[in-house]
């Protein structure tokens, strides 16, 4: 028997409830429970997805129910408080970022270790079809042929919080940039050693709304990552470009497409404008479209992985350490922006296995 409880069914948490209800209907989990301080919303979501048990108080919930795992989709500011309360009662899935700061993240990780709990962080981009193809099929193949990553650039742009003066989810770095630093780390398979960042703020808002961060890795690879909320409600971009020695790889997270550009058919500096233009138009570009229906929904794959990790007691792909690393990178970038200088990033935590990077 596997019983899962969704803590928080707001804007994103209701999607988690929807997907877990699907897994329940498929027999992957036995019972699904909802807990949200907004009881009216909780009951609405429960009725929508056929969930019988609904709570609006965590303390009451854990006194009555025997739960195997919790998904935590509350505002970032409350991740630590909720996780530290629930770690004594079941395995944890925490939406990204793992916590508001690395001190809280470290305590969550240590608590889960002490209680022998599965800890998974919701870095959902890792579970997108295009990202999985890039990380686990394309890059290993190209590396086996002798090609190597030289540079990474990413742009993650979209509208920010609806409230122009207040948010419990911190700034654009914790909201958007955290995704691309995690993907960059996975691409390079190293921990960054240096960062230089520039951030932009908006009057009346306590956190950064735009940031450009350059992360340098021990191998010399540099990742140039940009995240911004300074756009209209209709403008959104999720792109990653990888420069390799022999090709460019572009990933569009919105369209779930990967483009491989192998370069020019010919290159000459003395052909004149028309000749050069023709040469540049003769690039060989291969397109891989990875939209494959509802079974490839990233959140479904992510939740399936969490349930599998619970049952088999295995370490998730996006475990607590992965979440901690991404958060520490974000904090380092923000500190660099405030201090207006490059900062070294030191990795001396005992729970980080550097041999895997």
């Amino acid at each position: 028997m596997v019983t899962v409880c969704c803590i928080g069914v707001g804007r994103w948490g209701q999607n988690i409830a929807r997907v877990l209800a699907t897994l329940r209907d498929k027999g992957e989990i036995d019972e699904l429970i909802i807990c949200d301080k907004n009881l009216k919303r909780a009951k609405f979501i429960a009725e929508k997805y056929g969930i019988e048990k609904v709570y609006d108080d965590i303390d009451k919930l854990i006194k009555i129910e025997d739960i195997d795992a919790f998904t935590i989709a509350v505002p970032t500011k409350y991740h630590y408080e909720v996780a530290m309360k629930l770690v004594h009662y079941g395995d944890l899935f925490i939406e990204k970022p793992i916590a508001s700061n690395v001190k809280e993240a470290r305590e969550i990780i240590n608590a889960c270790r002490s209680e022998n709990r599965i800890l998974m962080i919701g870095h959902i981009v890792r579970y997108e079809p295009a990202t999985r193809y890039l990380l686990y099929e394309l890059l290993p193949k190209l590396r086996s042929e002798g090609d190597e990553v030289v540079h990474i650039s990413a742009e993650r742009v979209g509208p920010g919080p609806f409230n122009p003066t207040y948010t419990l989810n911190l700034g654009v770095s914790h909201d958007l940039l955290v995704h691309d630093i995690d993907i960059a780390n996975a691409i390079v398979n190293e921990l960054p050693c240096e960062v230089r960042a520039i951030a932009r703020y908006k009057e009346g808002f306590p956190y950064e709304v735009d940031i450009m961060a350059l992360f340098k890795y021990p191998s010399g690879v540099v990742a140039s990552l940009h995240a911004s909320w300074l756009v209209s409600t209709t403008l959104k971009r999720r792109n990653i470009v990888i420069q390799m020695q022999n090709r460019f790889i572009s990933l569009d997270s919105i369209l779930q497409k990967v483009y491989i550009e192998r370069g020019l058919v010919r290159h000459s500096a003395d052909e004149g404008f028309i000749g050069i233009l023709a040469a540049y138009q003769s690039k060989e570009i291969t397109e891989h479209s990875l939209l494959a229906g509802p079974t490839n929904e990233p959140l479904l794959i992510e939740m399936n992985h969490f349930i599998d990790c619970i049952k088999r007691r295995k370490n998730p792909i996006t475990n607590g350490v992965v979440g901690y690393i991404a958060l520490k990178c974000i904090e380092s970038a923000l500190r660099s922006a405030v201090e207006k200088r490059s900062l070294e990033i030191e990795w001396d935590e005992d729970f980080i296995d550097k041999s895997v990077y």
Side-chain angles (χ1 to χ4, degrees):
M1 295 287 290
V2 177
T3 299
V4 181
C5 180
C6 296
I7 306 294
V9 288
R11 185 175 61 87
W12 185 246
Q14 63 182 291
N15 289 316
I16 294 176
R18 169 181 58 81
V19 167
L20 287 175
T22 299
L23 294 178
R24 176 205 58 198
D25 296 343
K26 291 181 177 180
E28 296 296 330
I29 62 177
D30 300 285
E31 186 176 18
L32 183 59
I33 300 171
I34 280 180
C35 182
D36 191 295
K37 66 179 183 179
N38 185 329
L39 186 58
K40 182 179 179 181
R41 178 171 61 199
K43 287 182 175 179
F44 173 78
I45 298 299
E47 184 177 353
K48 188 174 182 180
Y49 299 117
I51 300 167
E52 294 182 0
K53 294 181 180 179
V54 180
Y55 291 84
D56 63 352
D57 181 81
I58 290 177
D59 293 322
K60 184 178 179 181
L61 166 77
I62 56 182
K63 285 180 181 178
I64 297 175
E65 302 293 345
D66 185 12
I67 298 169
D68 298 292
F70 302 88
T71 64
I72 300 174
V74 299
T76 302
K77 285 279 191 179
Y78 303 129
H79 283 189
Y80 172 78
E81 176 187 344
V82 174
M84 293 300 285
K85 179 174 288 190
L86 296 178
V87 68
H88 305 294
Y89 301 93
D91 298 320
L92 302 180
F93 173 92
I94 306 175
E95 260 309 320
K96 63 81 195 166
I98 180 175
S100 296
N101 57 67
V102 293
K103 180 180 181 297
E104 293 179 349
R106 189 183 297 112
E107 290 186 25
I108 291 172
I109 290 171
N110 289 334
C112 286
R113 282 185 162 193
S114 177
E115 296 283 348
N116 193 29
R117 299 300 186 191
I118 299 295
L119 174 58
M120 180 169 163
I121 311 303
H123 285 277
I124 194 170
V125 177
R126 289 266 199 130
Y127 301 92
E128 292 177 356
T131 305
R132 288 186 291 124
Y133 170 69
L134 173 73
L135 292 177
Y136 307 123
E137 294 184 46
L138 182 58
L139 285 177
K141 177 178 180 295
L142 297 180
R143 283 179 168 132
S144 71
E145 297 171 358
D147 213 350
E148 290 295 336
V149 174
V150 175
H151 181 268
I152 301 168
S153 61
E155 191 165 35
R156 192 166 291 267
V157 175
F162 295 111
N163 190 322
T165 61
Y166 182 72
T167 177
L168 292 171
N169 288 313
L170 306 179
V172 72
S173 301
H174 288 77
D175 182 44
L176 297 182
L177 189 69
V178 68
H179 284 302
D180 288 325
I181 183 57
D182 176 55
I183 298 304
N185 291 345
I187 290 171
V188 183
N189 201 33
E190 293 178 342
L191 295 176
C193 55
E194 186 179 343
V195 63
R196 177 66 174 101
I198 300 173
R200 184 172 172 183
Y201 294 81
K202 192 175 182 180
E203 186 177 354
F205 190 76
Y207 306 109
E208 80 289 348
V209 295
D210 186 282
I211 188 167
M212 169 63 77
L214 299 176
F215 290 92
K216 183 178 180 181
Y217 293 83
S219 61
V221 174
V222 172
S224 173
L225 312 179
H226 174 232
S228 181
W229 281 338
L230 294 177
V231 293
S232 69
T233 56
T234 59
L235 192 60
K236 191 174 183 180
R237 176 171 286 183
R238 306 281 191 268
N239 290 343
I240 297 175
V241 177
I242 304 169
Q243 176 194 342
M244 304 190 77
Q245 292 171 333
N246 300 314
R247 49 180 64 78
F248 281 105
I249 301 171
S250 302
L251 185 153
D252 187 323
S253 287
I254 296 176
L255 298 179
Q256 285 299 293
K257 291 186 177 183
V258 176
Y259 305 90
I260 305 169
E261 181 183 325
R262 292 183 58 88
L264 311 181
V265 173
R266 66 183 191 279
H267 180 74
S268 175
D270 58 1
E271 294 188 61
F273 174 74
I274 300 300
I276 293 173
L277 183 61
Y280 272 87
Q281 289 177 335
S282 66
K283 293 182 293 187
E284 180 185 338
I285 300 177
T286 305
E287 176 183 314
H288 295 262
S289 182
L290 292 129
L291 288 176
T295 58
N296 241 351
E297 181 187 354
L299 184 57
L300 177 62
I301 296 168
E302 185 179 44
M303 287 294 105
N304 238 330
H305 181 57
F306 179 51
I307 300 304
D308 187 51
C309 289
I310 294 169
K311 292 177 178 178
R312 298 171 59 184
R313 310 312 297 169
K314 68 176 185 178
N315 199 22
I317 294 171
T318 52
N319 55 55
V321 175
V322 168
Y324 176 90
I325 289 169
L327 181 58
K328 183 171 178 176
C329 289
I330 293 304
E331 286 197 354
S332 299
L334 289 171
R335 193 166 71 252
S336 167
V338 170
E339 298 180 9
K340 299 180 180 180
R341 64 185 181 94
S342 295
L343 294 178
E344 291 186 6
I345 308 176
E346 297 182 357
W347 302 98
D348 54 5
E349 295 84 352
D350 60 359
F351 51 76
I352 296 179
D353 183 0
K354 298 181 182 64
S355 66
V356 302
Y357 288 95

